[in-house]
Amino acid sequence: MEPWWAATTPQEWIDRLGCKVTVQLKGSQAPIEGFLYSVDPELHHLMILRPAPPAATLDKRVDYRVERVVAFAHAITAVQSQAESTTTTATAYTTTNFQHRKAVVQQLLEKALIPHAEEKGGVIVVMAGVASIDPPYNADSCRSRNEIVLQRLQAILSTLVPAS
């Protein structure tokens, strides 16, 4: 029996990235549905992102989270991808969500009297380049070589989004 991935070329998998997919696993009743995020080129494992249940944050806003699901190649029986038009709506929704989160993070930084600026690509540069906050603007996306600054930023951002 031929493996499920043998009928497609690597370019076809690249074209499917970001598309909505349905993955059926061996012995599983319910298929995994979500957006194809990554394909392991050697082992053919799939990483799928799907919406997690929303959780209320400390300031009564709703936090939209994404859960990662890895489907191992040996357990996959079939993969179906839907039309690319669904990807456009998902991307627009994600962009709107990131813009809102970025505005909330900038308000938090202003409230904490931390100087910041926005760079190309939506990166928030903090304290004249000492640290940066990348999308999706949470505690895990903070980058800095200075551990004290990094810990302070992560503490501020963890008040916005509870740790998962």
Side-chain angles (χ1 to χ4, degrees):
M1 181 174 162
E2 191 172 281
W4 61 270
W5 48 264
T8 56
T9 65
Q11 185 59 46
E12 289 174 325
W13 283 111
I14 291 171
D15 293 341
R16 289 183 187 180
L17 292 178
C19 290
K20 191 165 186 172
V21 294
T22 304
V23 178
Q24 186 64 46
L25 301 176
K26 292 178 186 173
S28 175
Q29 298 296 327
I32 299 172
E33 292 184 355
F35 294 91
L36 185 62
Y37 179 73
S38 179
V39 179
D40 185 325
E42 290 183 20
L43 302 175
H44 307 288
H45 303 321
L46 303 180
M47 181 176 285
I48 300 161
L49 301 179
R50 64 180 178 189
T57 60
L58 296 176
D59 55 359
K60 308 273 191 234
R61 293 190 184 115
V62 176
D63 174 39
Y64 295 96
R65 295 172 184 248
V66 175
E67 58 183 9
R68 299 172 299 254
V69 179
V70 177
F72 293 105
H74 69 276
I76 298 173
T77 58
V79 178
Q80 297 173 349
S81 61
Q82 296 180 3
E84 292 181 28
S85 61
T86 57
T87 310
T88 313
T89 359
T91 305
Y93 171 77
T94 304
T95 304
T96 305
N97 190 23
F98 283 160
Q99 288 172 349
H100 172 71
R101 288 178 62 99
K102 179 173 55 176
V104 171
V105 168
Q106 288 175 334
Q107 289 173 356
L108 278 174
L109 293 172
E110 288 170 8
K111 192 175 182 180
L113 302 174
I114 297 176
H116 63 280
E118 184 178 345
E119 267 191 357
K120 194 175 186 179
V123 177
I124 300 174
V125 178
V126 181
M127 293 186 242
V130 173
S132 65
I133 306 170
D134 300 318
Y137 309 110
N138 59 22
D140 294 331
S141 64
C142 295
R143 307 280 180 251
S144 178
R145 291 184 178 177
N146 185 325
E147 284 296 318
I148 296 170
V149 172
L150 183 62
Q151 288 173 356
R152 181 165 182 219
L153 279 176
Q154 288 174 336
I156 289 171
L157 291 178
S158 67
T159 63
L160 174 66
V161 180
S164 55

